[in-house]
Amino acid sequence: MCGIVGYVGLQSALGILMEGLRRLEYRGYDSAGIAWLDNGEIHVLRAAGKLHNLQAQLPATHSHVGIGHTRWATHGKPEERNAHPHVDNQRRVAVVQNGIIENYRALRDELTAQGCVFTSDTDTEVIPHLVSLYLQQGHPFLEAMRLAVSRLEGAFAIAAIAADAPDEIVLARQQAPLVVGLGQGEFFCASDTAALISHTQAFLALENGELARLTPLGVELYTFAGQRVQRYPQRLTWSPLAVEKGGFKHYMLKEIHEQPAVLRQGLESHLIEGQIALGPVQELYAQVEHIHIVACGTSWHAGLVGKYLLEQIAQIPTHVYYASEFRYAPPPYLPRTLTIGVTQSGETADTLAALSLVASRTLTGTPWLLGITNRPDSTLGRLVPYLIDTRAGIEIGVAATKTFTAQVVAFYLLALDMAHQRGMIDQEKLELYLANLQKIPNHLEWILETQTPAIEQLAHQFQDVHHVIYLGRGINFPIALEGALKLKEISYIHAEGYPAGEMKHGPIALLDKNVPVVAIAMPGTVYEKTISNVQEARAREAQIIGVGTAANLEIPDLFQVNLTVPEVPELLSPFVTVLPLQLLAYYIAAQRGLDVDQPRNLAKSVTVE
Ligand code: F6R
């Protein structure tokens, strides 16, 4: 969603702010702006559209304090007047905000009655007016911000500067991410560490209900009640290179290619001397009777694969919920339930809210909440007592790829470990599963090396396609959903994933020669059944693209094209079937000349409901 960046120190702020905003571009935005202090005055520059529109107007100035913002419109169209920063009528305060101020209408009426004139349609604009009124009453900047945020309802992260406090940035956080980066004689803030990683690896994350005051002399943390807070910073382990494209045309393509290495890294860090090591969550295994998984989008698909594994290998009844549904209609409380939150950003508002709801229902002891993420530095990392770091590192392309496969690895390890420790599989079987899992990175390399040209070629045939159906069964049904999601989000082609056996109950009516069907047909329990379902689609003249082993090509007159993958045990097949579908979506979108890494209307980190 929106991105925040701020700087106070000895260097020139504008370049640092612009670089930070560029690093936040991947989160999705429709307008951008910056504000800085110069000779006791606030200056603001804003532009609709991409960052180069802002860059083109940038003045030469050496201000040492500033804030910046990339906006993803919630209240008000993506026009310059709605872009942040917003200022009060005297231009003494400038504010950027991520989130939603739910009571902004009432505040706006109240402030208008007091003479404030509003120039935007945003909820954010109430904040500079409020802060300004408190400043006029004689409160220092930090206190004015504290009083202002105590009037706000909703989820927000705020950074503000004031003309009367020329060396300060004041921050506030309530249910939206905000971190402080620590340098020497200079301090930064951002909604995502990625914005600052080239300047510092030492970070301090604000908690809900906290304010921070940044000056060149240091950082002070306070609660909204005004109490001082002391906390040690954390050090980030990933390198600044992770946020570069590394010679690839798009981040998405780079991240697709990173998957073999990511899987190796995930396995290496969670297998110690041949034993699965997932940390403290192992202490719960013996007691767990049910598992609930909460997630959104691609992470929800990883959860569906997880359910299959946890039920089929570990025999534990597992439900997967959309976090946005769970939070308002949670299932009745079930004792001895482990709730797993899956999220690549670690900041998805719905997933965090669902997990918090579960925590609030825990009457005694530590809540049984397990997080699966590649961002242990995120809000999720601080919310849950048990965490599996998938080790996928930061992902920049909006379409999740490597983080998905890394989440699936985490589910394999969890299911195998639980199954083994609860006596469902013996040591020999465990070792066999692990040995096969360790071969997956090589299989992925084989697909990348040998199948990419055919996939690129196939992508050309999708130039005039408007609808695509993805079919899969069993453990590959979630992969059909994921393949369809990848295609629609970056190529804007309508695509649907279905369980292959469900086609004849309605969706088959959609098929004709203009609607290609991508059919995942891998050897295993449902292979013959899937082939029969695909025959039904073929009989409606649909063009059939197979994803499966070379054996598919031996079936007469069924698959026009087969995206060939190596034969692997059925339970491991999602790794090899999802990769060609990621590549197919990528090449279709790239050949259409679309903005693959920042598809329209989407955001990498969905921090609002
Ligand atoms: C799709 C995609 C989204 C996310 C969803 C949840 O490629 O990236 O569907 O999966 O917004 O995000 P996280 O995993 O950050 O909770």
Coordinates of all heavy atoms in Angstrom, one line a residue, residues 13-54:
A13 N 18.5 16.0 2.4 CA 17.4 15.0 2.6 C 16.8 14.6 1.3 O 16.4 13.4 1.2 CB 16.4 15.7 3.5
L14 N 16.7 15.4 0.3 CA 15.8 15.1 -0.8 C 16.2 13.9 -1.6 O 15.4 13.1 -2.0 CB 15.7 16.4 -1.8 CG 14.5 17.3 -1.5 CD1 14.5 17.8 -0.1 CD2 14.4 18.4 -2.5
G15 N 17.6 13.8 -1.8 CA 18.0 12.6 -2.6 C 17.7 11.3 -1.8 O 17.3 10.3 -2.4
I16 N 17.9 11.4 -0.5 CA 17.6 10.2 0.3 C 16.1 9.8 0.3 O 15.8 8.7 0.2 CB 18.1 10.4 1.8 CG1 19.7 10.5 1.8 CG2 17.7 9.4 2.7 CD1 20.3 11.0 3.1
L17 N 15.3 10.9 0.4 CA 13.9 10.6 0.3 C 13.5 10.0 -1.0 O 12.7 9.1 -1.1 CB 13.1 11.9 0.5 CG 13.2 12.6 1.9 CD1 12.4 13.9 1.9 CD2 12.8 11.7 3.0
M18 N 14.0 10.6 -2.1 CA 13.6 10.1 -3.5 C 14.1 8.6 -3.6 O 13.4 7.8 -4.2 CB 14.2 10.9 -4.6 CG 13.6 12.3 -4.7 SD 11.8 12.2 -5.0 CE 11.7 11.5 -6.6
E19 N 15.3 8.3 -3.1 CA 15.8 6.9 -3.3 C 14.9 6.0 -2.4 O 14.6 4.9 -2.9 CB 17.3 6.9 -2.7 CG 17.9 5.5 -3.0 CD 19.0 5.2 -2.0 OE1 19.7 6.2 -1.6 OE2 19.2 4.0 -1.7
G20 N 14.6 6.5 -1.2 CA 13.7 5.7 -0.4 C 12.3 5.4 -1.1 O 11.8 4.3 -1.0
L21 N 11.8 6.4 -1.7 CA 10.5 6.3 -2.4 C 10.6 5.3 -3.5 O 9.7 4.5 -3.8 CB 10.0 7.6 -2.9 CG 9.6 8.6 -1.8 CD1 9.1 9.9 -2.4 CD2 8.5 8.0 -0.9
R22 N 11.8 5.3 -4.2 CA 12.0 4.4 -5.3 C 12.0 2.9 -4.8 O 11.5 2.0 -5.4 CB 13.3 4.7 -6.0 CG 13.1 5.2 -7.4 CD 14.4 5.3 -8.2 NE 15.4 6.2 -7.5 CZ 15.4 7.5 -7.6 NH1 14.5 8.1 -8.3 NH2 16.3 8.2 -6.9
R23 N 12.6 2.8 -3.6 CA 12.7 1.4 -3.0 C 11.3 1.0 -2.6 O 11.1 -0.2 -2.4 CB 13.6 1.5 -1.8 CG 15.0 1.8 -2.0 CD 15.8 0.6 -2.5 NE 17.2 0.9 -2.6 CZ 18.0 0.3 -3.5 NH1 17.5 -0.5 -4.4 NH2 19.2 0.6 -3.6
L24 N 10.4 1.9 -2.4 CA 9.1 1.6 -1.9 C 8.1 1.4 -3.1 O 7.0 1.0 -2.9 CB 8.5 2.6 -1.0 CG 9.2 2.7 0.4 CD1 8.6 3.9 1.2 CD2 9.0 1.5 1.2
E25 N 8.6 1.7 -4.3 CA 7.7 1.6 -5.5 C 7.0 0.3 -5.6 O 5.9 0.2 -6.0 CB 8.5 1.9 -6.8 CG 8.7 3.3 -7.1 CD 9.4 3.4 -8.5 OE1 10.5 2.9 -8.6 OE2 8.8 4.0 -9.4
Y26 N 7.8 -0.8 -5.2 CA 7.2 -2.1 -5.4 C 6.0 -2.4 -4.6 O 5.2 -3.3 -4.9 CB 8.3 -3.2 -5.0 CG 8.5 -3.4 -3.6 CD1 7.9 -4.5 -3.0 CD2 9.2 -2.6 -2.8 CE1 8.1 -4.8 -1.6 CE2 9.4 -2.8 -1.4 CZ 8.8 -3.9 -0.8 OH 8.9 -4.2 0.5
R27 N 5.7 -1.5 -3.6 CA 4.5 -1.8 -2.8 C 3.3 -1.3 -3.5 O 2.2 -1.5 -3.0 CB 4.7 -1.0 -1.4 CG 5.9 -1.6 -0.6 CD 6.2 -0.7 0.5 NE 5.1 -0.6 1.4 CZ 5.0 -1.1 2.6 NH1 6.0 -1.8 3.1 NH2 4.0 -0.9 3.4
G28 N 3.4 -0.5 -4.6 CA 2.3 -0.1 -5.3 C 1.8 1.3 -4.9 O 1.8 1.6 -3.7
Y29 N 1.6 2.2 -5.9 CA 1.2 3.6 -5.5 C 0.7 4.2 -6.8 O 0.8 3.7 -7.9 CB 2.4 4.3 -5.0 CG 3.4 4.6 -6.0 CD1 3.5 5.8 -6.7 CD2 4.3 3.6 -6.4 CE1 4.4 6.0 -7.7 CE2 5.2 3.8 -7.4 CZ 5.3 5.0 -8.1 OH 6.2 5.2 -9.1
D30 N 0.0 5.4 -6.6 CA -0.6 6.1 -7.7 C -0.2 7.6 -7.7 O -0.5 8.3 -8.6 CB -2.1 5.9 -7.8 CG -2.7 6.2 -6.4 OD1 -2.3 7.2 -5.8 OD2 -3.5 5.3 -6.0
S31 N 0.5 8.0 -6.7 CA 1.0 9.4 -6.7 C 2.0 9.5 -5.6 O 2.1 8.5 -4.8 CB -0.2 10.4 -6.3 OG -0.8 10.0 -5.2
A32 N 2.8 10.6 -5.5 CA 3.9 10.6 -4.6 C 4.1 12.1 -4.2 O 3.7 13.0 -4.9 CB 5.1 10.0 -5.1
G33 N 4.8 12.3 -3.1 CA 5.1 13.6 -2.7 C 6.2 13.7 -1.6 O 6.5 12.7 -0.9
I34 N 6.8 14.8 -1.4 CA 7.8 15.0 -0.4 C 7.5 16.4 0.3 O 7.0 17.3 -0.4 CB 9.2 14.9 -0.8 CG1 9.5 15.8 -2.0 CG2 9.6 13.5 -1.2 CD1 11.0 15.9 -2.4
A35 N 7.9 16.5 1.5 CA 7.9 17.9 2.2 C 9.3 18.0 2.9 O 9.8 17.0 3.4 CB 6.8 18.0 3.2
W36 N 9.8 19.2 2.9 CA 11.1 19.4 3.6 C 11.1 20.8 4.3 O 10.2 21.6 4.0 CB 12.3 19.3 2.6 CG 12.3 20.3 1.5 CD1 13.0 21.4 1.6 CD2 11.6 20.3 0.3 NE1 12.8 22.1 0.4 CE2 12.0 21.4 -0.4 CE3 10.7 19.4 -0.3 CZ2 11.5 21.7 -1.7 CZ3 10.2 19.7 -1.6 CH2 10.6 20.8 -2.3
L37 N 12.0 20.9 5.2 CA 12.1 22.2 5.9 C 13.4 23.0 5.4 O 14.4 22.4 5.2 CB 12.3 21.9 7.4 CG 11.1 21.6 8.2 CD1 11.4 20.9 9.5 CD2 10.3 22.9 8.4
D38 N 13.2 24.2 5.1 CA 14.3 25.1 4.7 C 14.1 26.5 5.3 O 13.0 27.0 5.1 CB 14.2 25.2 3.1 CG 15.6 25.1 2.6 OD1 16.6 25.1 3.3 OD2 15.7 25.0 1.3
N39 N 15.1 26.9 6.0 CA 15.0 28.3 6.7 C 13.6 28.5 7.4 O 13.0 29.5 7.3 CB 15.1 29.4 5.6 CG 16.5 29.5 5.1 OD1 17.4 29.3 5.9 ND2 16.7 29.8 3.9
G40 N 13.3 27.5 8.2 CA 12.1 27.6 9.0 C 10.8 27.5 8.3 O 9.7 27.8 8.8
E41 N 10.8 27.1 7.0 CA 9.6 27.0 6.2 C 9.4 25.6 5.7 O 10.4 24.9 5.3 CB 9.6 28.0 5.0 CG 9.4 29.4 5.4 CD 9.3 30.3 4.2 OE1 9.3 29.8 3.1 OE2 9.3 31.6 4.5
I42 N 8.1 25.3 5.5 CA 7.8 23.9 5.0 C 7.6 24.1 3.5 O 6.9 25.0 3.0 CB 6.6 23.3 5.7 CG1 7.0 22.9 7.1 CG2 6.0 22.2 4.8 CD1 5.9 22.2 7.8
H43 N 8.2 23.2 2.7 CA 8.1 23.2 1.2 C 7.5 21.8 0.9 O 7.9 20.8 1.5 CB 9.4 23.3 0.5 CG 10.0 24.6 0.9 ND1 10.0 25.7 0.0 CD2 10.8 25.0 1.9 CE1 10.6 26.7 0.6 NE2 11.1 26.3 1.7
V44 N 6.5 21.8 -0.1 CA 5.9 20.6 -0.5 C 5.9 20.4 -2.0 O 5.7 21.4 -2.7 CB 4.4 20.6 0.0 CG1 3.7 19.3 -0.4 CG2 4.3 20.7 1.6
L45 N 6.2 19.2 -2.4 CA 6.1 18.9 -3.8 C 5.4 17.6 -4.0 O 5.7 16.6 -3.3 CB 7.6 18.7 -4.3 CG 7.8 18.7 -5.8 CD1 7.4 20.0 -6.5 CD2 9.3 18.4 -6.1
R46 N 4.4 17.6 -4.9 CA 3.6 16.4 -5.1 C 3.3 16.2 -6.5 O 3.2 17.2 -7.3 CB 2.3 16.5 -4.3 CG 2.4 16.9 -2.9 CD 1.1 16.9 -2.1 NE 0.2 17.9 -2.6 CZ -0.9 18.3 -2.0 NH1 -1.2 17.7 -0.8 NH2 -1.7 19.2 -2.5
A47 N 3.1 14.9 -6.9 CA 2.8 14.7 -8.3 C 2.0 13.4 -8.4 O 2.3 12.4 -7.7 CB 4.0 14.5 -9.2
A48 N 1.0 13.4 -9.3 CA 0.2 12.2 -9.6 C 1.1 11.3 -10.5 O 2.0 11.7 -11.2 CB -1.1 12.5 -10.3
G49 N 0.8 10.0 -10.4 CA 1.5 9.0 -11.3 C 2.8 8.6 -10.7 O 3.1 8.6 -9.5
K50 N 3.7 8.2 -11.7 CA 5.0 7.6 -11.3 C 6.0 8.6 -10.7 O 5.8 9.8 -10.9 CB 5.6 6.9 -12.5 CG 4.8 5.8 -13.1 CD 5.1 4.5 -12.2 CE 4.2 3.4 -12.7 NZ 4.3 2.2 -11.8
L51 N 7.0 8.0 -10.1 CA 7.9 8.9 -9.4 C 8.7 9.9 -10.3 O 9.1 10.9 -9.8 CB 9.0 8.0 -8.7 CG 8.7 7.6 -7.2 CD1 9.9 6.9 -6.7 CD2 8.4 8.8 -6.4
H52 N 8.9 9.5 -11.5 CA 9.6 10.4 -12.4 C 8.9 11.7 -12.5 O 9.5 12.8 -12.8 CB 10.0 9.8 -13.7 CG 8.9 9.2 -14.5 ND1 8.1 10.0 -15.2 CD2 8.5 8.0 -14.7 CE1 7.2 9.3 -15.8 NE2 7.4 8.0 -15.5
N53 N 7.6 11.7 -12.4 CA 6.8 13.0 -12.4 C 7.3 13.9 -11.3 O 7.3 15.1 -11.4 CB 5.3 12.8 -12.3 CG 4.8 11.9 -13.5 OD1 5.5 11.8 -14.5 ND2 3.6 11.4 -13.4
L54 N 7.5 13.3 -10.1 CA 8.0 14.1 -9.0 C 9.4 14.5 -9.2 O 9.8 15.7 -8.9 CB 7.8 13.2 -7.7 CG 8.0 13.9 -6.4 CD1 6.9 14.9 -6.1 CD2 8.0 12.8 -5.3

